[in-house]
């Protein structure tokens, strides 16, 4: 694969940074890999598995190299969707294929609802869309509590609560948000508050991402092929359950992908229906 070329794109309220790994000999659409708040660096291994395609990765607004210019404390999925719309237009490559994970999957679904003509196929991997869960009230309250803990006590205590929430198996108890959080030191997190309040996860995207309401009517009528994927090892976790619920709302079965919520990060070999690596699962989705 050609070494990535880094470019920037001015959008309302931010300057986006993205990496382009060109392949001029391929005939497949550009492959866009997105997360949120995870940036381009998290897709390094997976991008390298698609040497036969032009691959684009990017840092969402407020993350790593993509600086916000508006000073806003929150990033909303509709903002991210507009950023992606502008990025795809800037590529000038026609409809793209998208692999989107976690908050990136929430943002990509928002993009398809608004601009379905820009996406040929979307693989939405474990979008943490708490609004679709039967225990939504408890899940949404837990997300708000994590954010408020961050504003009150800083990164370590908030992140410890976040780890507890996303790793919880099964229905979120009604009193989950009111429980004391685990000791940040147990996870190697800082216990002292450094005073910053601009963390992309527990600061900028925690509430807006989890509370987002998807336009299922628009998604069901979109010409885009939508595959909602859930990790085989994350069954029972919030993002896995949300993926299953979204797939059901779209009238289809969720696709079982290897690993857990971050199963694609290491490009590990897996066993299963295809008996190969993560690339094969995605390649199957494109067909």
């Amino acid at each position: 694969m050609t070494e990535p070329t880094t470019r920037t794109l001015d959008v309302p309220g931010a300057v986006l940074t993205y990496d382009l790994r060109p392949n001029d000999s391929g005939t497949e659409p550009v492959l866009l890999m997105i997360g949120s708040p995870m940036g381009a660096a998290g897709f390094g291994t997976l991008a390298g598995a698609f040497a036969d395609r032009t691959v684009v990765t990017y840092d969402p607004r407020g993350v790593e190299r993509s600086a916000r210019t508006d000073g806003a404390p929150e990033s909303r999925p509709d903002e991210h969707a507009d950023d992606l719309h502008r990025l795809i237009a800037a590529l000038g490559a026609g409809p793209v294929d998208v692999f989107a994970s976690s908050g990136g999957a929430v943002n990509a679904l928002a993009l398809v609802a608004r601009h379905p003509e820009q996406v040929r196929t979307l693989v939405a991997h474990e979008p943490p869309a708490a609004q679709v869960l039967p225990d939504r009230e408890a899940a949404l309250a837990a997300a708000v509590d994590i954010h408020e803990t961050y504003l009150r006590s800083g990164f370590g205590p908030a992140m410890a609560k976040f780890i507890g929430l996303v790793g919880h198996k099964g229905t979120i108890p009604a009193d989950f948000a009111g429980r004391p959080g685990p000791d940040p030191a147990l996870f190697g997190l800082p216990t002292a508050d450094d005073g910053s309040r601009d963390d992309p996860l527990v600061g900028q995207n925690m509430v807006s991402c989890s509370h987002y309401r998807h336009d299922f009517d628009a998604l069901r009528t979109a010409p885009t092929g939508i595959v909602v994927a859930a990790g085989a090892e994350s069954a029972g976790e919030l993002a896995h359950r949300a993926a299953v619920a979204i797939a059901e709302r779209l009238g289809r079965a969720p696709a079982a992908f290897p690993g857990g919520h971050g199963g694609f990060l290491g490009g590990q070999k897996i066993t299963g229906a295809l008996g190969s690596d993560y690339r094969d699962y995605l390649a199957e989705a494109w067909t």
Side-chain angles (χ1 to χ4, degrees), residues 41-202:
F43 293 99
T45 297
L46 188 58
F50 286 88
D52 57 332
R53 298 185 65 167
T54 292
V55 179
V56 176
T57 55
Y58 95 122
D59 295 336
R61 61 171 54 214
V63 175
E64 297 177 16
R65 302 167 298 171
S66 291
R68 294 202 69 135
T69 58
D70 58 5
E74 181 182 66
S75 298
R76 295 175 288 104
D78 285 337
E79 285 182 304
H80 290 300
D82 186 64
D83 290 346
L84 292 167
H85 161 63
R86 293 170 186 272
L87 174 57
I88 294 169
L91 294 172
V96 301
D97 286 337
V98 179
F99 172 67
S101 186
S102 193
V106 171
N107 301 338
L109 287 165
L111 167 69
V112 169
R114 290 171 160 227
H115 302 284
E117 74 285 352
Q118 288 189 308
V119 182
R120 184 185 74 160
T121 304
L122 165 63
V123 176
H125 182 258
E126 297 205 352
Q131 288 282 10
V132 300
L133 298 176
D135 50 330
R136 65 178 64 82
E137 296 302 326
L140 295 173
V144 170
D145 179 56
I146 290 168
H147 180 65
E148 291 180 345
T149 298
Y150 177 60
L151 297 180
R152 182 175 61 250
S153 304
F155 176 76
M159 195 64 188
K161 284 189 174 182
F162 174 78
I163 293 171
L165 174 63
V166 299
H168 180 83
K169 298 280 189 179
T171 300
I172 307 298
D175 66 343
F176 194 88
R179 297 177 181 179
D183 183 356
L186 295 175
F187 305 104
L189 295 167
T191 56
D193 183 0
D194 66 3
S196 64
R197 293 295 184 269
D198 57 354
D199 182 75
L201 174 56
V202 293

Side-chain angles (χ1 to χ4, degrees), residues 272-287:
L274 298 178
S276 188
D277 61 17
Y278 215 89
R279 173 196 163 89
D280 292 326
Y281 279 74
L282 287 172
E284 180 76 7
W286 309 143
T287 60

Side-chain angles (χ1 to χ4, degrees), residues 7-11 14-18 83 85-88 90:
R7 300 178 180 178
T8 61
L9 177 66
D10 289 341
V11 298
V15 179
L16 304 179
T17 299
Y18 64 100
D83 290 346
H85 161 63
R86 293 170 186 272
L87 174 57
I88 294 169

